Amino acid sequence: MTGLTFGSAIDVSGSLEKSPSGKQNVELHAKQIQVTGKCDPTEFPFKIKERHSLEYIRQFPHLRCRTNVFSALLRVRSEATSAIQSFFKDNGFIQIHTPVITSNDCEGAGELFQVEPASRDKQQDERDPHYFSVPTYLTVSGQLHLEVMAGAFPAVYTFGPTFRAENSQSRRHLAEFYMVEAEISFTESLEDVMTVMEHLFKASTEHVLTHCAEDVELFHKFVAPGHRGQVDLMLSRKFNVISYTEAIDILNRSSQIFTFPTKWGCDLQTEHEKYLVKHCGNIPVFVTDYPYDLKPFYARDNQDHPRHTAAAVDLLVPGVGELCGGSLREERLEILRSRIIQAGMEDAYEWYLQLRQFGSVPHGGFGMGFERYLQCILGVDNIKDVIPFARFSHSCLL
């Protein structure tokens, strides 16, 4: 047929029949084929019968959805989204649409994108230079807004885009990515938070493996051979739990030479996290009770001097490192007020103190990076290959 080439868009009518080939269940017996969109195969960047690497197809963000591997990824991503929503609904969580534009820096790292209208001239009104009257940013987390809702509902969650202005070209970071965040009221136990993390991971993964079996198999066969065994191991075993202090002891006893030092009080780096997971049998591991000074102002003080730790936890998984981070939230007004004053944030977070002042309840929660979750279950090395349109420093191709 004239014009029927690789990459063309076609309209086919016919019937699906049982296939005599053992490699497929059905085949299409075409009665009529119409070329609706021609494609020059000499110019088309993807070639017939060639297996292109993820790095290669990443150069064509407007076309890569047409490849087998990336269309499979998008189906898995869609099904994983549905699985996560179903998990929370089935467990009594209320979904909250937290704002994308916010005046708070939840993480306190300062890696923010500031929001102002492109046409606004600050010189026009020096008394009120900001569109919202105060500096505003693209959100780095919906957690603080979920804490507001934790005063009205026993369990809430949000699932949406977050933004970090990290100047990073690494395989682990994006400027725009999706976060799953949950907050649980009436809990004084870090174990309660960890239980939700583990059940969310396992329930969502089992759903994806069941409903996207062929798409997942494509990754486990061609992108990360043998990774299915790792996924099955994670699903079959209870996650390990160690304290931060135990983690530092494990690292200090290791014969491995780390780029970053391992002493009590240091922040765990990716190399440390991956070693700890490997040490624990390549099963996800919860690391609890981090040094108080490493965690944000909202993490609950364990008051365990002289070490002084916070009731915080990270979930580390094979191949990725940190997948989830969470904590109990400091519900004691005076302790929280003291830390906010010490950080010089009392004016900006007066509303947050009022949450404790007016009918507060003990609560805790966590956030899970959705793209890192996909990396973990599919075995994809680069986070840029599990999102439809990757945004990172010096790259915004469309």
Side-chain angles (χ1 to χ4, degrees), residues 321-332:
E322 181 187 344
L323 175 65
C324 301
S327 73
L328 297 181
R329 318 309 189 189
E330 184 57 79
E331 85 284 3
R332 295 163 292 185

Side-chain angles (χ1 to χ4, degrees), residues 230-243:
Q230 175 66 77
V231 175
D232 289 340
L233 180 64
M234 291 189 288
L235 294 177
S236 65
R237 301 288 184 85
K238 184 171 178 57
F239 293 177
N240 295 301
V241 182
I242 60 174
S243 70

Side-chain angles (χ1 to χ4, degrees), residues 190-366:
L190 204 55
E191 287 72 22
D192 289 345
V193 177
M194 292 155 57
T195 297
V196 177
M197 285 189 201
E198 183 169 350
H199 288 176
L200 170 64
F201 179 91
K202 290 183 175 179
S204 300
T205 303
E206 288 169 352
H207 178 101
V208 170
L209 293 179
T210 300
H211 291 83
C212 280
E214 292 184 2
D215 292 321
V216 172
E217 184 185 11
L218 184 150
F219 280 88
H220 292 168
K221 184 176 181 180
F222 297 109
V223 177
H227 190 69
R228 178 56 186 264
Q230 175 66 77
V231 175
D232 289 340
L233 180 64
M234 291 189 288
L235 294 177
S236 65
R237 301 288 184 85
K238 184 171 178 57
F239 293 177
N240 295 301
V241 182
I242 60 174
S243 70
Y244 170 88
T245 299
E246 290 172 321
I248 292 298
D249 289 341
I250 291 169
L251 294 170
N252 286 339
R253 293 197 306 267
S254 169
S255 60
Q256 182 170 323
I257 299 175
F258 297 106
T259 302
F260 295 91
T262 57
K263 62 180 181 179
W264 203 96
C266 74
D267 207 355
L268 296 181
Q269 304 296 321
T270 303
E271 59 176 346
H272 306 147
E273 295 167 349
K274 290 184 176 181
Y275 179 86
L276 290 169
V277 173
K278 185 177 180 180
H279 176 84
C280 292
N282 279 323
I283 299 168
V285 55
F286 290 109
V287 180
T288 68
D289 301 310
Y290 279 77
Y292 188 68
D293 291 340
L294 288 182
K295 293 301 176 181
F297 66 90
Y298 51 73
R300 196 177 197 275
D301 188 346
N302 281 332
Q303 296 185 309
D304 53 350
H305 297 281
R307 277 284 169 87
H308 199 192
T309 64
V313 59
D314 287 343
L315 174 60
L316 313 181
V317 296
V320 173
E322 181 187 344
L323 175 65
C324 301
S327 73
L328 297 181
R329 318 309 189 189
E330 184 57 79
E331 85 284 3
R332 295 163 292 185
L333 178 60
E334 292 310 314
I335 294 176
L336 181 61
R337 187 195 306 276
S338 175
R339 192 165 198 200
I340 287 179
I341 291 174
Q342 184 181 9
M345 302 186 301
E346 58 268 34
D347 292 336
Y349 288 94
E350 180 60 31
W351 66 269
Y352 189 75
L353 291 173
Q354 288 184 6
L355 296 179
R356 275 57 173 172
Q357 185 178 355
F358 304 131
S360 176
V361 300
H363 59 286
F366 69 92

Side-chain angles (χ1 to χ4, degrees), residues 101-143:
I101 299 175
T102 179
S103 61
N104 75 69
D105 176 10
C106 178
E107 298 298 312
E111 296 163 338
L112 303 163
F113 290 104
Q114 189 161 351
V115 177
E116 292 291 349
S119 60
R120 187 172 176 83
D121 185 357
K122 293 183 180 181
Q123 300 303 319
Q124 291 178 354
D125 188 353
E126 294 183 355
R127 295 170 300 174
D128 187 17
H130 302 292
Y131 180 83
F132 292 101
S133 298
V134 296
T136 51
Y137 314 96
L138 296 179
T139 183
V140 298
S141 171
Q143 178 203 312

